[in-house]
Amino acid sequence: MSVASSEPWSVSLLSPPSSVVMDGEPAMGRYAGCIDTIDWRALRGPWQRSALWTRLHHKRWQYVGVGHAHWFIGVAIVDVGWCMSSFVYVFDRRSQKVVLDWTQDGLPGWSGRVMDQPVMGGAARFKGLGAALSIVTEGDVIAVRVKTRRLQLRCDLSWHQAPPFLLAVGPVDQGLVHATQKSPGLPVAGEFELDGERHALHGALGSLDSSNGLLARDTAWRWACAHDRRLGFNLQEGYFGNQENVLWLDGALIPLGAAKFDFDPQRPLSPWRVQTDDGLLDLHFRPEGARQADRNLVVAASYYIQPVGTFHGTVRARPGGAAVSVDGLLGVTEDHRSRW
């Protein structure tokens, strides 16, 4: 089912299949639009795993990033099968500092749940000690609500008349499979209160990452995402190959080739360069600051850094096509390694 729109958006990808599994196998490919649910239970043959294995390796998450002239806010709710985790951070672009960095873990079912509906009818909820987070789609609005001791956030991302979402379905390491829905830039209405001070989010844009897969215990990736009202992109280098690499430009959803991330892992706040091997995207990234975590809980570990900053360079709609200038496009990069 494609995203509803009254605009004649140009789309170079097929509409999603009825299911992520067809005849026992993953319906591999990149598609333009939203699928009702991501359900792996019909996998057969080499793709099939035991119920216990699936329980321990089935990973679901919803992440929303909200970019504003003065702020960047990231909210995530993650179900890794045997535990849940959530975080929210607020980055002040004027001081170039993370002014709130909150995270908490819990138990699936008890602390919350991430549903298999990635967008339409989708819901991710977490409730913990003194905190409640939710990312819930209600009609054509993605409602994000956060309440912690220091932060209260209420914002709505509207996908009414939005360009198509990306659906990517494909293989990952060790014969496993993954699917993700990524949104274009969506207008945001809302506000947040931090330490008793209220801030409006006028003019903000947000994006959704809704992912669901059967993943290996050790998983690593690099990621970049940025949007304005005309263009945006999503790039990943790592466990999912180039499956989710796309460009949104003037309403068109354009598949991109493999991404290459050039940066210094020891100095992640120095400039990055991000390119695709088809020549359609060539950008430099200038970090302003970053949210990061390095956690080792013996049975699980996570190294994560997500710099916030701006992209500069060019994108193209087709090989040999006219270069479209990118200058000061707000977004994030990420370097992430998990043992989960």
Side-chain angles (χ1 to χ4, degrees):
M1 183 180 298
S2 297
V3 175
S5 175
S6 62
E7 299 292 338
W9 300 114
S10 173
V11 174
S12 59
L13 298 174
L14 296 176
S15 296
S18 59
S19 171
V20 293
V21 179
M22 305 295 288
D23 299 323
E25 297 189 353
M28 297 181 189
R30 284 181 280 190
Y31 307 94
C34 294
I35 197 166
D36 290 337
T37 189
I38 297 175
D39 186 346
W40 302 113
R41 290 177 295 176
L43 289 171
R44 297 293 180 264
W47 301 99
Q48 191 173 16
R49 299 292 190 275
S50 70
L52 177 60
W53 189 99
T54 300
R55 174 67 179 176
L56 297 176
H57 291 78
H58 193 177
K59 318 300 181 186
R60 307 172 180 89
W61 65 86
Q62 295 238 5
Y63 167 88
V64 169
V66 175
H68 180 267
H70 298 154
W71 309 97
F72 191 91
I73 301 171
V75 180
I77 302 174
V78 184
D79 183 344
V80 302
W82 50 273
C83 78
M84 288 198 69
S85 183
S86 63
F87 71 75
V88 57
Y89 74 89
V90 178
F91 179 76
D92 185 338
R93 299 187 64 204
R94 294 162 297 185
S95 66
Q96 298 193 336
K97 293 180 180 179
V98 175
V99 292
L100 174 87
D101 187 359
W102 176 94
T103 187
Q104 197 170 116
D105 300 322
L107 296 175
W110 182 267
S111 300
R113 187 180 180 190
V114 179
M115 303 291 287
D116 286 327
Q117 290 72 31
V119 183
M120 296 174 294
R125 293 184 172 88
F126 182 92
K127 188 172 183 179
L129 184 62
L133 291 77
S134 64
I135 303 170
V136 178
T137 304
E138 301 168 342
D140 57 8
V141 168
I142 301 168
V144 182
R145 305 289 185 263
V146 174
K147 185 177 181 180
T148 71
R149 182 178 60 84
R150 295 180 56 200
L151 175 72
Q152 291 79 46
L153 167 69
R154 294 178 60 87
C155 70
D156 295 333
L157 286 64
S158 173
W159 52 296
H160 178 62
Q161 296 187 344
F165 283 46
L166 166 72
L167 169 67
V169 183
V172 295
D173 295 340
Q174 302 179 22
L176 306 178
V177 67
H178 184 67
T180 187
Q181 293 255 218
K182 298 291 198 297
S183 84
L186 305 175
V188 172
E191 63 181 15
F192 68 96
E193 185 177 311
L194 177 62
D195 295 331
E197 187 173 345
R198 186 167 297 181
H199 306 276
L201 291 171
H202 298 313
L205 286 179
S207 61
L208 173 72
D209 171 349
S210 183
S211 296
N212 184 320
L214 306 177
L215 301 181
R217 177 155 166 74
D218 292 293
T219 308
W221 64 88
R222 289 161 182 171
W223 177 63
C225 176
H227 298 279
D228 65 16
R229 293 187 180 276
R230 183 188 180 193
L231 67 87
F233 61 86
N234 185 88
L235 299 173
Q236 193 260 171
E237 178 187 33
Y239 76 100
F240 204 29
N242 68 340
Q243 301 284 342
E244 62 181 65
N245 295 349
V246 291
L247 169 70
W248 287 269
L249 180 61
D250 295 326
L253 177 56
I254 302 163
L256 297 174
K260 182 180 180 182
F261 287 68
D262 289 320
F263 73 108
D264 184 348
Q266 304 303 316
R267 299 173 57 244
L269 294 184
S270 60
W272 298 43
R273 188 175 185 186
V274 185
Q275 302 169 281
T276 55
D277 66 359
D278 52 17
L280 298 186
L281 181 146
D282 187 353
L283 298 173
H284 293 269
F285 176 67
R286 301 173 187 169
E288 298 173 356
R291 189 255 178 181
Q292 58 185 322
D294 191 354
R295 306 173 71 196
N296 190 340
L297 305 177
V298 182
V299 296
S302 176
Y303 167 79
Y304 167 104
I305 184 165
Q306 187 175 94
V308 177
T310 56
F311 290 88
H312 308 259
T314 59
V315 297
R316 302 172 190 270
R318 61 188 62 85
V324 176
S325 178
V326 176
D327 187 18
L329 181 65
L330 176 62
V332 297
T333 56
E334 182 176 283
D335 185 21
H336 197 138
R337 298 186 294 276
S338 286
R339 173 167 294 170
W340 52 6

